[in-house]
Amino acid sequence: MTRVILLSILWPISLLSANAQINTFYRTYNLPGMQGGLGIVSLEDGGFVGIGQHEGSGSAGDCDIYAYRVDECGNLIWLKLFGTASQEGGKNVIQRHNGNLLLMGLYNAEGFLIELDLNGNLIWEKRYDNISWSIAADEDSAGNLYVSGTPRAGGGYVMLGCSPTGIVKWSKDYSGLGS
């Protein structure tokens, strides 16, 4: 009788402790040149893509954009650098409805969008001279993109409405709303 009671008490506790573990991995990525990680998105397959700024030592220029993908166990699949001789940095990343990745940030003093496939291959790239940093983006059911950023002239915000390939359809500057 004592065994049955003990087993019936321990069995629910073991279920609770098994379900309480939500981390699949814990890793620190300190690849040469990586500075700040500024954005991350979880993928439908359980993996992640991160984006940030890479120092100029041995890369394409002063500071560059880095993006990397890891699998559901945290194993590095790829690491990509994008940049010029000027300063760049990645700010945010989303997974689009088509499964591809959309990167955003600063590219040679302009806001940018870069679309990559899940293997890290470049699909297209657009730069926007009225934005200094592309900060966030979202898309509607038709794949049209809505991008927010900071204006080159100073405080406030800029909103862009773009086609699915990043071509600007409209732009609205909300300067004076804050910084």
Side-chain angles (χ1 to χ4, degrees), residues 113 127-128 130-131 134 138 145-149 158-162 166 168-172 174:
L113 295 178
R127 298 185 208 176
Y128 306 103
N130 62 330
I131 298 178
S134 299
D138 202 357
L145 299 168
Y146 302 93
V147 182
S148 68
V158 175
M159 286 292 302
L160 302 177
C162 301
V168 176
K169 294 180 175 182
W170 55 263
S171 176
K172 178 69 177 159
Y174 297 95

Side-chain angles (χ1 to χ4, degrees), residues 90-111:
K91 181 71 172 171
N92 204 355
V93 57
I94 63 170
Q95 186 170 25
R96 298 193 65 185
H97 300 310
N98 64 11
N100 290 338
L101 304 166
L102 190 66
L103 313 177
M104 59 212 81
L106 171 73
Y107 201 114
N108 194 16
E110 297 175 328

Side-chain angles (χ1 to χ4, degrees), residues 19-33:
N19 290 333
Q21 180 63 34
I22 58 172
N23 292 2
T24 56
F25 64 88
Y26 178 81
R27 296 209 178 158
T28 301
Y29 300 96
N30 192 11
L31 301 171

Side-chain angles (χ1 to χ4, degrees), residues 72-149:
E72 67 278 0
C73 296
N75 300 308
L76 185 65
I77 297 173
W78 51 257
L79 170 70
K80 302 286 181 170
L81 294 176
F82 304 93
T84 66
S86 294
Q87 185 174 358
E88 287 86 21
K91 181 71 172 171
N92 204 355
V93 57
I94 63 170
Q95 186 170 25
R96 298 193 65 185
H97 300 310
N98 64 11
N100 290 338
L101 304 166
L102 190 66
L103 313 177
M104 59 212 81
L106 171 73
Y107 201 114
N108 194 16
E110 297 175 328
F112 76 86
L113 295 178
I114 295 175
E115 185 168 348
L116 305 177
D117 67 18
L118 287 177
N119 294 317
N121 299 313
L122 180 68
I123 306 288
W124 56 263
E125 167 193 324
K126 294 286 189 254
R127 298 185 208 176
Y128 306 103
D129 63 2
N130 62 330
I131 298 178
S132 63
W133 279 89
S134 299
I135 296 174
D138 202 357
E139 70 177 317
D140 63 21
S141 60
N144 294 305
L145 299 168
Y146 302 93
V147 182
S148 68

Side-chain angles (χ1 to χ4, degrees), residues 3 13 63 135 173 176:
R3 285 185 184 167
I13 292 171
C63 286
I135 296 174
D173 188 331

